[in-house]
Amino acid sequence: MKRKAEDQHSSSSSEGSSSPSSADKSNLDASSAVSKPTSRRGHSKSRLGCLNCKRRRVKCNEQRPTCSPCRRLGLLCDYANTPGLRSNPSPLCLEDLRFYYQFLNTAFPSLPLRADQVWKKCAAMSHQSECLAHAALGLGASHLTKHGNEDYSSQALSHRVSALKLVHQQFAKPPRDQDNADSLFAALICLAAQTTLLPDGIAEYMTITRAGALVWAFVIPAHGSSVFKSFTNESHSSNLSKIVSEEPKDFELVDQYLASVTKIKEICTGARELYYCQRVIDAVQGLRVSSLQAWLSHADLWRAHCYFSNDDFQAFIDPENHPARLLIIHMLLADYLLGQFCLKNSEQFKFTARREVIISWARNAIADLPDKIKPYGEWLKGYCTVVEQSDGRYLLTP
């Protein structure tokens, strides 16, 4: 018992000597509080986040198509403020500066008419829209390839593919603000102009011009301060009246053209083909009234396919729809037929690649016709040679 008591006393003494006093403990706690300040987690402000995260004032990780917060809450993720931008935009190279210069000075589209300043504004907007930037650079590269001494076809195609991909994304979620609506419309016009510098582009040209017309009809009107606000039917007619000229008419050639297109009615099997055929006839018949009337009617013809339903449009541009393909060729060549009678011969058309491409489209399409349909394209074959030898005047269609 005595030994047990001694052991307990020894243990008690040992604990007492090793444990800090209450005062010492208080000092240690205070020291710890001073030496370890509370740390704050780093946070970088996002300016490209989705609308939901901005409304809720939470950090968006900017994942696309759906960011993590929206995925967790089951919300529809919307990047409407930046539809043409990506968090990692494509890098540019020094050659792109040359393409940009070409676009800015000579390669910009011909519509709106005499609207150089509009396209300069669009060029300035391209730093905010990757879609428009790629479309403009692709057009510049194609233009340089056709009218220069170097081949930039691969660069032109690369920019074109990137622009088309971004256009498709924006069609899924149409722009809700003016700048992006303008950028989308400008990109489509650039893509249409570039198409006329590429081989075998009939269906693609019709598709892109139709998309541009849809954006113009349903997206642009919602934005009153659009850079294209003056590009209306009324302003287009006003601009035409300043440019058009009543040149001497070769009605023998006009009658030959009308006979060629009228003959196609024999093989038209659907209402859409008959409707389009009549629009072609009306455009050329307008010459009997005035050059201005012919040009205005051609503008209606250029938009005619835009009013087809999706199914009718796809059926119309099908390469196996031979009557429609012949009508499209007549429409494309009418640009040059009417140009001879609607523009002064003093108009300078230094860049002839578009004419060469349109002629190649026509000749290839006629060559691909079945033997029983080929006679309906016979007159067109001869007229391609006439256009080839002309001075290149046309109605400034993209």
Side-chain angles (χ1 to χ4, degrees):
M1 291 291 293
K2 182 177 180 181
R3 186 173 179 178
K4 186 175 182 180
E6 288 174 352
D7 291 340
Q8 289 176 346
H9 176 71
S10 174
S11 174
S12 176
S13 300
S14 175
E15 289 174 2
S17 63
S18 62
S19 301
S21 65
S22 61
D24 291 339
K25 188 173 183 180
S26 176
N27 290 335
L28 286 171
D29 290 344
S31 175
S32 298
V34 172
S35 61
K36 295 182 179 181
T38 302
S39 62
R40 293 188 64 186
R41 188 175 177 182
H43 176 72
S44 60
K45 188 173 182 180
S46 169
R47 298 188 182 278
L48 297 175
C50 75
L51 293 182
N52 288 327
C53 289
K54 287 182 178 180
R55 291 192 194 102
R56 296 171 54 238
R57 297 189 177 183
V58 299
K59 182 172 175 59
C60 179
N61 63 2
E62 299 171 23
Q63 289 184 359
R64 304 211 180 196
T66 304
C67 69
S68 296
C70 286
R71 187 183 300 110
R72 187 179 69 253
L73 297 174
L75 300 175
L76 178 63
C77 194
D78 189 354
Y79 287 91
N81 282 352
T82 56
L85 300 175
R86 296 189 298 195
S87 56
N88 55 337
S90 303
L92 300 178
C93 64
L94 289 177
E95 281 180 340
D96 291 329
L97 297 177
R98 189 174 182 185
F99 304 154
Y100 183 80
Y101 180 84
Q102 185 77 5
F103 169 80
L104 194 60
N105 285 277
T106 57
F108 57 86
S110 53
L111 284 181
L113 294 171
R114 301 294 195 261
D116 303 22
Q117 294 304 314
V118 169
W119 286 108
K120 283 180 170 57
K121 290 179 182 178
C122 289
M125 289 162 46
S126 63
H127 77 283
Q128 297 177 330
S129 169
E130 193 175 356
C131 176
L132 175 55
H134 281 299
L137 292 172
L139 175 55
S142 291
H143 200 273
L144 265 176
T145 298
K146 287 293 186 180
H147 301 104
N149 298 320
E150 297 184 56
D151 187 356
Y152 297 107
S153 299
S154 62
Q155 295 93 325
L157 180 60
S158 176
H159 282 301
R160 183 177 180 83
V161 169
S162 297
L164 287 170
K165 181 179 179 182
L166 292 166
V167 164
H168 290 156
Q169 291 176 5
Q170 292 190 45
F171 260 82
K173 289 185 178 180
R176 299 182 181 179
D177 62 278
Q178 171 215 306
D179 288 345
N180 283 299
D182 282 347
S183 295
L184 176 57
F185 183 67
L188 286 165
I189 297 299
C190 289
L191 287 166
Q194 186 190 16
T195 307
T196 62
L197 301 176
L198 302 175
D200 302 323
I202 290 180
E204 196 165 3
Y205 180 77
M206 300 292 282
T207 301
I208 292 174
T209 53
R210 182 172 185 263
L214 291 173
V215 171
W216 174 249
F218 298 107
V219 179
I220 296 294
H223 310 293
S225 54
S226 166
V227 297
F228 293 103
K229 62 185 177 182
S230 62
F231 187 32
T232 61
N233 290 339
E234 293 76 15
S235 64
H236 185 66
S237 300
S238 175
N239 287 335
L240 282 183
S241 64
K242 299 173 185 176
I243 299 170
V244 71
S245 174
E246 289 292 337
E247 295 297 294
K249 311 295 192 296
D250 180 354
F251 284 110
E252 182 179 352
L253 179 62
V254 169
D255 289 339
Q256 290 174 4
Y257 180 97
L258 289 171
S260 177
V261 70
T262 302
K263 191 175 181 181
I264 299 174
K265 286 185 176 182
E266 300 173 5
I267 55 174
C268 288
T269 57
R272 59 179 172 263
E273 287 78 22
L274 290 170
Y275 164 81
Y276 199 86
C277 183
Q278 191 58 49
R279 298 286 76 76
V280 178
I281 292 171
D282 289 346
V284 179
Q285 286 280 27
L287 285 171
R288 302 190 188 280
V289 178
S290 67
S291 295
L292 178 60
Q293 181 58 48
W295 200 333
L296 290 172
S297 297
H298 184 270
D300 292 337
L301 165 62
W302 192 69
R303 294 189 296 264
H305 64 287
C306 303
Y307 303 114
F308 292 156
S309 68
N310 288 335
D311 289 342
D312 278 347
F313 175 71
Q314 292 301 324
F316 188 72
I317 63 171
D318 186 340
E320 297 302 313
N321 187 341
H322 305 301
R325 188 52 53 106
L326 284 165
L327 291 170
I328 293 171
I329 296 170
H330 276 87
M331 179 272 292
L332 293 168
L333 291 175
D335 217 343
Y336 293 91
L337 175 77
L338 298 178
Q340 301 297 303
F341 309 133
C342 297
L343 284 169
K344 294 179 180 179
N345 57 14
S346 58
E347 288 280 346
Q348 297 296 313
F349 293 92
K350 296 182 293 183
F351 305 110
T352 60
R354 182 189 189 276
R355 178 184 60 183
E356 295 163 6
V357 170
I358 296 299
I359 291 172
S360 71
W361 287 1
R363 286 173 171 164
N364 291 339
I366 294 168
D368 290 339
L369 292 172
D371 290 341
K372 65 179 181 180
I373 304 294
K374 272 188 169 65
Y376 292 92
E378 197 62 32
W379 183 84
L380 288 172
K381 284 173 61 179
Y383 184 62
C384 283
T385 303
V386 174
V387 175
E388 201 168 35
Q389 297 170 353
S390 71
D391 57 14
R393 278 178 286 170
Y394 73 107
L395 298 185
L396 305 176
T397 308

